[in-house]
Amino acid sequence: MADFTTPARLSGRIEARLREIDDAGLRRTLRPPHGIDLSSNDYLGLARDPRVCSALAGAAMIEGTGSTGSRLLRGDRHCFAAVELAFAQFKKTASSLYFSTGWAANLSVLSVYAEADDVIFSDEKNHASLIDGMRLSRARRVVYRHADVDHLRELLSSERCKGQKFVVTESLFSMDGDAPDLEAIAALCREEDAALIVDEAHAVGVYGARGSGMIEECGVESGVFLSVNTAGKALGVAGAFVAGDVHAIDYLVQRARPFIFSTAPPPPVAAAIDEALRIVEGEPARRATLRAKALRLRALLDEHATPALPGTSQILGIVIGENEATMRVAEELQRRGFDVRGVRPPTVPPGTSRLRVSVNLAVSDADLERFASELGSVRRELNA
Ligand SMILES: *Cc1c(COP(=O)(O)O)cnc(C)c1O
């Protein structure tokens, strides 16, 4: 039946590796949405907003589906420059550049600017895309304890660096749902003349008076070198914007390999993002309601003796510990109609497997109540 053949030695090795994954309780499986959404990053419900959908559909009829080339060849369109301008204004920066994924944006940002004599100081819980970007760069990487500003200060002064120092952090951590003290980090970077890179993946659309993210919320715009902002989470579409000054962004166009050697995103997504930005700015009640719902769920979980990790955000990490127990709890909740997912190493540190629960506007308060109570009983029943 199969026309393709895996050489016998390789086939044996793949099977052995898969067994190792099974034995460690780390087998990953694909599972389409089913039940009440407590796991997507569509925090504001924009992925199904009719206005965003029709902006996308309308643009598709005019622009077509594919961009047909790299931005530097025939793949460029006026709608990309327009949405980049809109995003820069949203972020209050001089310029921005749109990438097809946040992953590609982070690979680019971490590998383009840092050179051989430079040092990148990185939070130990930074996202895999930031870590891989650092791996591609020639700079040395120094890891500081999670959100620990004192540790960062210590390392910034003790680590030898002949070149430029960079500090990279998420502004809302994707698996713990906590936020670092961005003001203190920005102040420290200023003292040390370090360039601060902030990954706003889970904060953009949710934080800040205009919804532009945690940088706005903390008022640290002038202390940040670059921010990376995914459009596939609260903005409900896809891709990511790197925002910063004109030279820095122009340098990305010259050097970022994931930008240069990749087909530009489908042009209609630019129209959809434009519409999503308009909604985010124009409807602040969405983020207020989201944040109230998140606090409500946190309080309910406390009541049912299954608290989330400390924080106030829409991302709640509920640590179970063991890999298998975590997946059993997740499966039982799925059976009861809740789409919650377990997260295991290497996404999170060993021994801290957890449910990563995220709140979005479509979940009713009654559902949150039922979820907290069912989670409490499932954990008691399964002794997890
Ligand atoms: C999701 C995520 C990314 C990657 O963004 P994509 O657009 O999904 O590729 C980068 N950083 C963080 C912190 C994320 O959570």
Side-chain angles (χ1 to χ4, degrees):
M1 185 185 77
D3 291 318
F4 288 55
T5 311
T6 309
R9 185 213 302 252
L10 178 56
S11 178
R13 183 157 80 196
I14 292 170
E15 275 169 33
R17 294 288 176 260
L18 286 171
R19 262 196 312 279
E20 289 165 20
I21 292 171
D22 277 335
D23 292 346
L26 292 174
R27 169 71 75 135
R28 299 176 189 263
T29 50
L30 296 170
R31 186 174 189 277
H34 185 76
I36 295 163
D37 174 12
L38 286 168
S39 60
S40 83
N41 301 315
D42 186 20
Y43 306 124
L44 301 175
L46 296 185
R48 289 180 175 277
D49 187 289
R51 294 166 290 180
V52 179
C53 296
S54 61
L56 185 106
M61 296 315 288
I62 296 164
E63 300 269 7
T65 49
S67 64
T68 75
S70 158
R71 283 285 291 281
L72 291 161
L73 297 171
R74 209 180 146 84
D76 197 25
R77 296 291 188 284
H78 292 296
C79 61
F80 291 133
V83 78
E84 285 166 346
L85 179 64
F87 197 87
Q89 285 167 351
F90 179 56
K91 211 70 191 175
K92 294 221 186 305
T93 58
S95 187
S96 87
L97 189 68
Y98 181 53
F99 285 78
S100 47
T101 66
W103 187 285
N106 277 341
L107 280 200
S108 301
V109 164
L110 274 300
S111 61
V112 161
Y113 303 97
E115 300 183 0
D117 285 339
D118 299 346
V119 180
I120 307 174
F121 297 82
S122 170
D123 188 290
E124 70 182 340
K125 292 200 172 165
N126 275 342
H127 191 263
S129 57
L130 295 165
I131 295 169
D132 285 3
M134 287 182 259
R135 287 187 178 139
L136 284 176
S137 104
R138 287 175 218 287
R140 191 159 65 87
R141 174 164 68 114
V142 172
V143 175
Y144 64 91
R145 286 194 294 270
H146 176 55
D148 187 337
V149 179
D150 292 330
H151 192 214
L152 174 60
R153 178 181 295 110
E154 213 177 290
L155 292 173
L156 277 167
S157 65
S158 68
E159 292 288 329
R160 272 170 19 109
C161 174
K162 285 191 281 177
Q164 175 67 49
K165 293 173 185 170
F166 292 83
V167 172
V168 56
T169 183
E170 295 177 33
S171 58
L172 180 62
F173 281 87
S174 60
M175 292 298 144
D176 288 32
D178 61 340
D181 183 346
L182 214 50
E183 260 185 272
I185 293 174
L188 192 51
C189 286
R190 203 185 303 264
E191 278 167 38
E192 293 284 337
D193 213 20
L196 176 57
I197 295 168
V198 181
D199 183 338
E200 293 252 67
H202 296 274
V204 66
V206 175
Y207 284 88
R210 291 177 302 103
S212 79
M214 200 63 92
I215 293 170
E216 181 195 358
E217 177 96 12
C218 299
V220 295
E221 288 88 345
S222 65
V224 174
F225 166 52
L226 288 176
S227 66
V228 182
N229 308 268
T230 58
K233 288 167 182 166
L235 300 184
V237 189
F241 294 86
V242 179
D245 80 28
V246 173
H247 285 114
I249 298 300
D250 179 40
Y251 192 47
L252 277 180
V253 176
Q254 312 308 317
R255 285 285 166 82
R257 295 165 64 88
F259 179 85
I260 299 168
F261 298 105
S262 187
T263 300
V269 300
I273 294 170
D274 228 26
E275 184 60 24
L277 287 176
R278 214 185 50 72
I279 297 171
V280 165
E281 286 202 90
E283 300 180 5
R286 285 176 182 266
R287 39 189 179 278
T289 307
L290 176 69
R291 289 166 74 171
K293 275 188 193 291
L295 292 177
R296 176 87 187 111
L297 179 56
R298 286 173 182 276
L300 287 165
L301 291 171
D302 289 344
E303 274 172 38
H304 289 278
T306 171
L309 292 170
T312 56
S313 78
Q314 76 279 13
I315 300 170
L316 292 79
I318 303 164
V319 174
I320 309 284
E322 300 267 308
N323 302 339
E324 278 117 43
T326 303
M327 298 322 274
R328 275 205 311 279
V329 172
E331 275 159 30
E332 184 53 30
L333 288 163
Q334 287 160 7
R335 228 180 42 75
R336 298 182 188 199
F338 299 101
D339 195 350
V340 287
R341 310 288 173 118
V343 182
R344 294 162 292 178
T347 310
V348 295
T352 72
S353 283
R354 67 195 64 183
L355 306 178
R356 181 204 184 261
V357 171
S358 53
V359 181
N360 72 75
L361 286 187
V363 185
S364 71
D365 289 352
D367 287 337
L368 293 180
E369 277 165 35
R370 196 165 69 80
F371 171 70
S373 126
E374 299 261 7
L375 172 58
S377 29
V378 168
R379 289 189 73 172
R380 278 192 303 278
E381 283 161 28
L382 295 180
N383 204 9

